């Protein structure tokens, strides 16, 4: 099986190292020339909760050749259209494209490469890019080896090809086949919407959101909007770490206090996290906000469901992108306080 990792950044470097060490024919594809050079010269080095290094083959996008049997898509969704259009000549009829991206990219990926080629995927471990050729695994190594990926067919079937992809990804870490991968991705989207989106919009950590009354109340409403829009689109949310994500839905206003308490408990271990979208704003880069909170705003169209909290997150992050500034917590939290007051009036 010939494999391409498209977007060999923090996650892709780790995946490529383990696949190459496992004897797979894999190419790490990335536009960062210094990174590609380092990978070819010294190999892919994994630090953090483990120490590991493997010889790999890395190329830049214009160096692609032949055809790939399996593509692991790890680019940001911002670049999906050009990346996938350029990939088409390097796919054959039975090629598989596994979308290991944040958000819900599968419809867009399928519209370009064809639905029959698409496999949905979810990355369950964390990583940080250190420098060219080096990525840090930030998830506990034992957990990583037990639970690194979830994959599944879009229709939930357990097919021979899903089993083959599982066997490949098991070389990296524990890989599990799901019959509701779309539900898994929406459950992850909810957490990203409520905390990554607010982290970027406010310029704060997850803990800053948990500790601020308007911040945590807004997170509750963002979660509620995501669940209602997901249900309206036929999504069945899955449990995450044993927690029933759909239980965060607000049935009436009296539920808010309990939902605040639940979110504070569930998210406490993540209080030091800062959204990668905020890191993008700090580097004056465009974010994936349209593919995170923007998914809920977009999918709400035609459902009759209002999404003012997700809409406000998108608005504030886009404003920061356009101005190339970093949001100010004390200023932007006022916008959420005003929204809470208007809607509760």
């Amino acid at each position: 099986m010939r494999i391409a990792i498209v977007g060999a950044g923090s996650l892709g470097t780790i995946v490529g190292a383990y696949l190459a060490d496992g004897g797979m024919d894999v190419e790490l594809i990335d536009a960062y020339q210094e990174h590609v050079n380092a990978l070819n010269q010294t190999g892919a080095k994994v630090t953090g909760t483990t120490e590991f290094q493997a010889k790999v083959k890395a190329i830049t996008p214009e160096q692609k050749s032949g055809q790939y049997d399996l593509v692991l898509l790890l680019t940001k969704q911002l670049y999906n259209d050009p990346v996938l259009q350029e990939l088409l000549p390097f796919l054959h009829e039975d090629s598989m494209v596994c979308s290991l991206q944040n958000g819900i990219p599968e419809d867009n990926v399928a519209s370009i490469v064809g639905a029959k080629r698409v496999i949905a995927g979810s990355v369950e471990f964390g990583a940080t890019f250190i420098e060219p050729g080096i990525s840090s695994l930030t998830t506990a190594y034992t957990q990583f080896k037990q639970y690194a990926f979830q994959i599944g067919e879009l229709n939930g079937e357990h097919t021979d090809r899903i089993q083959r992809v599982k066997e490949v990804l098991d070389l990296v870490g524990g890989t599990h086949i799901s019959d509701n991968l779309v539900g898994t991705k929406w459950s992850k989207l909810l957490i990203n919407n409520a905390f990554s989106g607010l982290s970027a919009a406010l310029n704060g950590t997850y803990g800053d959101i948990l500790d601020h009354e308007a911040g945590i109340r807004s997170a509750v409403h963002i979660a509620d909007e995501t669940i209602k829009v997901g249900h309206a689109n036929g999504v069945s949310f899955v449990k995450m770490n044993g927690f029933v994500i759909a239980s965060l839905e607000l049935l009436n206003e009296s539920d808010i206090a309990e939902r605040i308490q639940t979110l504070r408990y569930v998210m406490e271990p993540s209080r030091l996290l800062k959204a990668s979208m905020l890191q993008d704003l700090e580097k004056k880069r465009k974010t994936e906000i349209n593919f995170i909170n923007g998914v809920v705003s977009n999918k709400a169209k035609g459902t009759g469901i209002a999404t003012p909290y997700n809409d406000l997150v998108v608005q504030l992050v886009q404003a920061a992108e356009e101005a190339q500034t970093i949001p100010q917590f004390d200023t932007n939290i006022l916008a959420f306080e005003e929204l809470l007051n208007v809607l509760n009036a």
Side-chain angles (χ1 to χ4, degrees):
M1 181 182 290
R2 188 163 185 249
I3 303 169
I5 297 174
V6 179
S10 58
L11 297 171
T13 297
I14 293 173
V15 174
Y18 281 99
L19 290 185
D21 188 67
M24 301 304 298
D25 179 6
V26 58
E27 290 182 346
L28 285 67
I29 305 173
D30 200 86
Y32 186 9
Q33 186 69 62
E34 289 182 37
H35 182 44
V36 169
N37 292 344
L39 290 170
N40 286 323
Q41 291 167 8
T42 60
K45 184 176 181 180
V46 182
T47 62
T49 57
T50 189
E51 293 289 332
F52 175 70
Q53 191 159 0
K55 183 178 180 181
V56 298
K57 178 183 179 182
I59 61 173
T60 53
E62 63 273 11
Q63 293 176 309
K64 294 191 297 292
S65 63
Q67 292 181 316
Y68 300 103
D69 302 303
L70 173 63
V71 174
L72 304 177
L73 187 61
L74 282 162
T75 52
K76 289 188 176 182
Q77 283 197 63
L78 285 167
Y79 311 113
N80 271 8
D81 285 4
V83 164
L84 292 171
Q85 290 289 351
E86 292 173 8
L87 184 65
L88 285 174
F90 305 97
L91 302 177
H92 54 73
E93 185 177 350
D94 295 321
S95 293
M96 297 171 284
V97 179
C98 185
S99 55
L100 296 171
Q101 299 173 307
N102 288 327
I104 318 292
E106 285 72 28
D107 286 348
N108 173 247
V109 175
S111 72
I112 299 173
V113 305
K116 70 175 185 177
R117 287 184 171 130
V118 178
I119 289 174
S122 176
V123 178
E124 306 296 324
F125 66 93
T128 300
F129 185 82
I130 301 300
E131 62 182 65
I134 304 176
S135 182
S136 174
L137 178 67
T138 54
T139 299
Y141 181 72
T142 52
Q143 180 180 339
F144 166 68
K145 297 309 289 185
Q146 292 173 357
Y147 212 94
F149 303 99
Q150 281 194 65
I151 58 172
E153 295 283 6
L154 297 181
N155 61 8
E157 291 183 3
H158 191 134
T159 60
D160 289 341
R161 72 172 189 171
I162 276 287
Q163 185 60 39
R164 293 198 302 273
V165 175
K166 169 182 162 47
E167 291 168 2
V168 169
L169 293 178
D170 273 337
L171 295 170
V172 181
T175 303
H176 302 263
I177 297 173
S178 170
D179 61 3
N180 183 16
L181 209 284
V182 173
T184 296
K185 299 202 82 167
W186 270 85
S187 292
K188 288 188 67 177
L189 178 71
L190 182 147
I191 298 300
N192 281 332
N193 285 352
F195 287 90
S196 295
L198 280 174
S199 172
L202 295 173
N203 182 18
T205 64
Y206 288 13
D208 292 328
I209 298 163
L210 292 171
D211 295 340
H212 196 286
E213 185 65 18
I216 189 62
R217 279 181 168 266
S218 297
V220 166
H221 285 289
I222 289 169
D224 176 60
E225 291 175 4
T226 303
I227 293 167
K228 285 181 165 60
V229 171
H231 284 165
N233 282 272
V235 174
S236 177
F237 289 80
V238 304
K239 292 181 180 179
M240 293 193 72
N241 297 322
F243 175 64
V244 181
I245 287 285
S247 68
L248 290 170
E249 184 176 10
L250 293 174
L251 303 180
N252 53 63
E253 289 297 305
S254 64
D255 293 332
I256 291 177
E258 182 183 345
R259 302 297 185 267
I260 287 174
Q261 184 178 5
T262 299
L263 270 185
R264 280 180 167 154
Y265 174 77
V266 170
M267 297 303 297
E268 178 62 26
S270 302
R271 67 164 34 253
L272 297 179
L273 291 182
K274 180 172 77 170
S276 60
M277 289 190 292
L278 177 54
Q279 296 174 55
D280 288 334
L281 291 177
E282 291 170 344
K283 297 172 184 175
K284 295 182 169 38
R285 295 175 180 169
K286 287 188 68 66
T287 73
E288 289 188 289
I289 192 64
N290 288 330
F291 306 103
I292 306 297
N293 297 80
V295 169
V296 175
S297 300
N298 185 55
K299 293 287 187 180
K301 294 175 182 175
T303 68
I305 299 169
T307 58
Y309 290 91
N310 278 284
D311 296 346
L312 180 55
V313 170
V314 173
Q315 176 189 331
L316 292 173
V317 174
Q318 286 181 338
E321 284 181 350
E322 292 169 8
Q324 292 201 325
T325 58
I326 301 172
Q328 296 302 307
F329 191 100
D330 291 342
T331 299
N332 283 2
I333 196 65
L334 295 176
F336 288 98
E337 290 177 344
E338 181 178 350
L339 180 59
L340 285 162
N341 291 333
V342 168
L343 295 179
N344 292 329

